[in-house]
Amino acid sequence: MNSFWKSSICRGAIFGLFIFLLFSCSETEQEPSDDYFISAKLSGQSFKFQDSATGVVEARSFSAFAGQNPTSNFPSFSFDIESLPISVGEFKESDSGLIMIFRYSLSGTETFHSQMGEEGDFVIRISSLTEKYIEGSFSGTIRGASNSSQFFTVSEGKFRLKRS
């Protein structure tokens, strides 16, 4: 009986180890959290806007918006891409046949955007496009609409937006 007991314990331990390895090695794909936002560093200062963080994707356009204040559109980040099929990939302000603009709006009269100035360096990358959300990154230079000598270098830009 003693050898039977040892044999059962051994078999149970091996079976338990097998089950543990089976479940610990399986890969589960989880849906990202419901944290929708547009964030970036503007000349080194971090901003993250989460109010009304949405993206509207159509066959040949993508419009995005996220603000900081539920009762106002200011301050906010927004951007639009038009004229090319919208898919996972990189969209450059300098691409031929592409209309793209990124905006940082402080008020109705104080807006900075990517189409001011001669840089043409703004890039928006879409890394994931699902039925529920769209996410990616961006970087470049934005200048004041009313004073093009005022500018921000946009870095570490990220977005995760609920599709609507």
Side-chain angles (χ1 to χ4, degrees):
M1 184 155 162
N2 196 15
S3 68
F4 173 76
W5 178 249
K6 288 180 183 177
S7 154
S8 294
I9 291 174
C10 185
R11 278 187 290 210
I14 290 172
F15 181 73
L17 181 60
F18 173 76
I19 296 297
F20 172 76
L21 289 174
L22 181 67
F23 285 104
S24 67
C25 292
S26 67
E27 189 174 309
T28 59
E29 187 175 321
Q30 293 182 353
E31 179 76 18
S33 70
D34 287 335
D35 182 24
Y36 299 113
F37 64 90
I38 301 176
S39 66
K41 284 189 176 181
L42 301 180
S43 297
Q45 185 176 359
S46 294
F47 293 88
K48 184 175 184 179
F49 299 141
Q50 294 180 274
D51 189 63
S52 302
T54 57
V56 177
V57 179
E58 296 179 3
R60 300 181 79 73
S61 68
F62 171 34
S63 296
F65 174 86
Q68 185 179 23
N69 187 338
T71 60
S72 170
N73 286 336
F74 310 107
S76 65
F77 288 137
S78 62
F79 56 91
D80 296 291
I81 301 172
E82 294 180 17
S83 300
L84 293 177
I86 302 302
S87 62
V88 170
E90 185 172 88
F91 299 86
K92 296 179 183 178
E93 185 178 14
S94 60
D95 288 345
S96 176
L98 175 70
I99 300 168
M100 184 176 85
I101 185 168
F102 181 90
R103 291 174 294 277
Y104 169 50
S105 300
L106 295 171
S107 69
T109 58
E110 191 173 9
T111 301
F112 294 80
H113 61 82
S114 61
Q115 291 184 339
M116 296 298 297
E118 301 296 318
E119 291 86 7
D121 65 344
F122 216 88
V123 177
I124 298 174
R125 294 167 199 85
I126 298 174
S127 58
S128 183
L129 179 60
T130 73
E131 301 254 339
K132 294 182 180 181
Y133 66 91
I134 183 166
E135 64 186 350
S137 61
F138 56 89
S139 62
T141 305
I142 55 176
R143 291 189 173 273
S146 60
N147 181 355
S148 64
S149 65
Q150 294 178 317
F151 70 95
F152 291 104
T153 301
V154 180
S155 62
E156 299 179 35
K158 295 180 184 178
F159 60 91
R160 183 169 191 281
L161 301 166
K162 181 178 182 175
R163 284 185 72 168
S164 56

